[in-house]
Amino acid sequence: MKQKNAALVCFSGGQDSTTCLFWAKKHFARVEAVCFTYGQKHSLEIKIARKIADKAQVSFHLLDVSLLGQLAPNSLTDASIPIDTEKPEESYPNTFVPGRNMVFLTFAAVMARNKGIFHLVTGVSEADYSGYSDCRDTFIRSLNVTLNLAMDEQFVIHTPLMNWDKKAVWQLSDELGAFDLVRNQTLTCYNGIPADGCGACPACKLRQEGLESYLQTKNS
Amino acid sequence: MKQKNAALVCFSGGQDSTTCLFWAKKHFARVEAVCFTYGQKHSLEIKIARKIADKAQVSFHLLDVSLLGQLAPNSLTDASIPIDTEKPEESYPNTFVPGRNMVFLTFAAVMARNKGIFHLVTGVSEADYSGYSDCRDTFIRSLNVTLNLAMDEQFVIHTPLMNWDKKAVWQLSDELGAFDLVRNQTLTCYNGIPADGCGACPACKLRQEGLESYLQTKNS
């Protein structure tokens, strides 16, 4: 049976997807979260995601797509590859996992359909510094059509952060009443350190710059 | 490095994908095969696929996507669900595995990209009696665009059987010099019996009708 006012959120326990989880809670009567494990170095990420979902009183599902990490080498799943600290000029940083968002959203759609849920939420953003192709709006729209054709259904993929930089994401989490939770409990750092993180990796720098910028605006 | 004249075939060891394997061998200098296991009842399918790939002198890769069978109940992976022998009037037969071809082709593309291969081959056909949504040409074209956007690459998905019924597929296998191999060694039967199969399930009936029709034309 179709659950018209229900959504499934692709959820990692990071800043963006946690903000999306609270965005979904505001807009849908029933929200569930799906988290993907794919051989990331930091399994702490999953523990943190589960804990945040519990706090948000949202059902938490964990799907193992470790096949993805095995098929294409990348620095997030292969401990022998040091993480790029800068984006190479003519290619993606080696944190790019080819096909990742496509695999995540496809499995999320199969799971959602079986639950009668047709709203999917993902925290991808075009404003992301790396310009990953599978975070772009064009890709998400094309994927939405393809999913609908694949299963002859009417899924709607929501991307509340698509055009927003990290400063705006901090602001949104504040408006949703989740600022403290996002600041103190999420994990974004490539080195696996929660909250403010290591402070040195690209993900921490981006998060920190956005936070400082938001706090300046807020306090001025 | 890009392998311009190489193709990766989605291969199950059935009539259609075996015909596609030989089609690919005719059109590409280098061909590899990828086979997916997703909790099918008949693991014999995989043994047969491997044997045919060996005979065709094609590299054989096996990917485990059993997550798919776990996410959505269907009669191909759940032994407690009897297989529909007729298509229900207003829905798919319960042999429909939602998202199957999308998951297969997405993982195939990730694997292919890592090998420098950008031609993908699949044996889907619109003429298939069940009208599965993920066998339609529109879906495959949409998926092709989505894959290219996801990874910022130029994949080409080939569907040599798209508009052909089973009779025409028998004819193609004959033209490719693979008629006897397809007839005697492939496995299409839902009850897991190779070659002519059980003769009673929908897959066997379709295969048999096509074969008889082709042999009549050939011998007349």
Side-chain angles (χ1 to χ4, degrees):
Chain A
M1 211 181 83
K2 292 202 178 186
Q3 308 272 347
K4 284 194 178 169
N5 205 9
L8 180 64
V9 180
C10 290
F11 180 61
S12 70
Q15 177 187 359
D16 293 345
S17 68
T18 301
T19 304
C20 284
L21 193 71
F22 284 89
W23 178 89
K25 277 177 66 80
K26 184 178 168 187
H27 290 90
F28 295 91
R30 182 176 144 223
V31 175
E32 303 195 19
V34 58
C35 179
F36 295 92
T37 172
Y38 54 102
Q40 302 98 314
K41 289 176 202 167
H42 306 294
S43 62
L44 179 64
E45 192 173 332
I46 292 151
K47 279 186 204 157
I48 285 177
R50 193 185 294 273
K51 199 171 146 190
I52 295 171
D54 282 351
K55 287 212 175 177
Q57 296 181 291
V58 156
S59 298
F60 180 84
H61 310 283
L62 185 65
L63 297 187
D64 182 348
V65 289
S66 51
L67 183 57
L68 194 60
Q70 294 157 30
L71 284 182
N74 67 81
S75 65
L76 294 187
T77 61
D78 185 339
S80 71
I81 305 176
I83 288 176
D84 279 342
T85 52
E86 309 253 317
K87 179 185 177 307
E89 264 194 32
E90 303 210 336
S91 67
Y92 295 110
N94 61 15
T95 49
F96 180 57
V97 183
R100 180 169 59 175
N101 284 328
M102 186 152 174
V103 167
F104 288 2
L105 282 159
T106 302
F107 278 116
V110 173
M111 172 182 258
R113 179 184 178 277
N114 198 42
K115 292 170 172 287
I117 299 176
F118 295 90
H119 292 280
L120 305 173
V121 182
T122 170
V124 296
S125 166
E126 280 197 347
D128 187 291
Y129 73 116
S130 301
Y132 292 159
S133 49
D134 65 348
C135 292
R136 291 185 192 132
D137 191 51
T138 310
F139 161 68
I140 295 290
R141 286 173 192 269
S142 179
L143 178 65
N144 201 148
V145 172
T146 303
L147 282 174
N148 291 354
L149 290 170
M151 295 184 249
D152 200 14
E153 300 284 3
Q154 287 290 317
F155 292 100
V156 180
I157 304 178
H158 301 266
T159 54
L161 313 185
M162 182 53 82
N163 298 298
W164 290 10
D165 62 14
K166 281 281 184 280
K167 177 185 175 184
V169 177
W170 281 112
Q171 182 174 341
L172 178 60
S173 68
D174 207 1
E175 288 164 7
L176 293 165
F179 179 84
D180 286 339
L181 185 148
V182 171
R183 184 168 185 186
N184 300 320
Q185 302 196 24
T186 60
L187 168 56
T188 309
C189 169
Y190 284 151
N191 291 309
I193 301 166
D196 289 342
C198 72
C201 76
C204 280
K205 283 183 184 166
L206 198 70
R207 173 177 165 138
Q208 189 61 28
E209 282 165 17
L211 178 62
E212 284 168 10
S213 178
Y214 173 61
L215 290 176
Q216 272 182 358
T217 311
K218 191 185 179 184
N219 298 330
S220 66
Chain B
M1 211 181 84
K2 293 204 176 183
Q3 307 272 347
K4 285 192 178 171
N5 204 8
L8 181 64
V9 180
C10 290
F11 180 62
S12 70
Q15 177 187 0
D16 293 345
S17 68
T18 301
T19 305
C20 283
L21 194 71
F22 283 89
W23 178 89
K25 278 177 65 80
K26 184 179 167 187
H27 291 90
F28 295 91
R30 184 176 142 221
V31 175
E32 303 196 18
V34 59
C35 179
F36 296 91
T37 171
Y38 55 102
Q40 303 98 313
K41 289 177 202 167
H42 307 293
S43 63
L44 179 64
E45 192 173 332
I46 292 151
K47 278 186 205 158
I48 285 178
R50 192 186 295 273
K51 199 171 146 192
I52 295 171
D54 282 353
K55 286 213 174 174
Q57 296 182 291
V58 156
S59 299
F60 180 83
H61 310 282
L62 185 65
L63 297 187
D64 182 349
V65 289
S66 51
L67 183 56
L68 193 60
Q70 294 158 28
L71 285 181
N74 67 80
S75 65
L76 294 187
T77 62
D78 186 339
S80 71
I81 305 175
I83 288 176
D84 279 343
T85 51
E86 309 255 319
K87 179 185 175 311
E89 263 193 31
E90 303 211 336
S91 67
Y92 295 111
N94 63 13
T95 48
F96 180 58
V97 183
R100 179 170 59 175
N101 284 329
M102 186 152 173
V103 167
F104 287 2
L105 281 159
T106 303
F107 279 117
V110 173
M111 173 183 256
R113 179 185 178 276
N114 198 42
K115 292 170 172 287
I117 298 176
F118 295 90
H119 292 280
L120 305 173
V121 182
T122 170
V124 296
S125 165
E126 281 197 346
D128 187 290
Y129 74 116
S130 303
Y132 292 158
S133 49
D134 65 349
C135 292
R136 291 186 193 132
D137 191 52
T138 310
F139 161 68
I140 294 291
R141 286 172 193 270
S142 180
L143 178 66
N144 202 149
V145 172
T146 303
L147 282 173
N148 290 355
L149 289 169
M151 296 184 248
D152 201 13
E153 300 284 4
Q154 287 291 319
F155 292 100
V156 180
I157 303 179
H158 301 266
T159 54
L161 313 184
M162 181 56 81
N163 298 300
W164 291 9
D165 61 14
K166 281 280 185 281
K167 177 184 174 184
V169 177
W170 281 112
Q171 182 174 342
L172 178 59
S173 67
D174 206 1
E175 287 165 6
L176 293 165
F179 179 83
D180 286 339
L181 186 148
V182 170
R183 185 169 184 184
N184 300 319
Q185 302 197 23
T186 61
L187 167 57
T188 309
C189 169
Y190 283 152
N191 291 309
I193 301 167
D196 289 342
C198 72
C201 76
C204 280
K205 284 183 184 165
L206 198 70
R207 175 177 164 138
Q208 190 61 28
E209 283 164 17
L211 179 61
E212 283 167 11
S213 179
Y214 174 59
L215 289 176
Q216 272 181 358
T217 312
K218 191 186 178 184
N219 299 330
S220 66

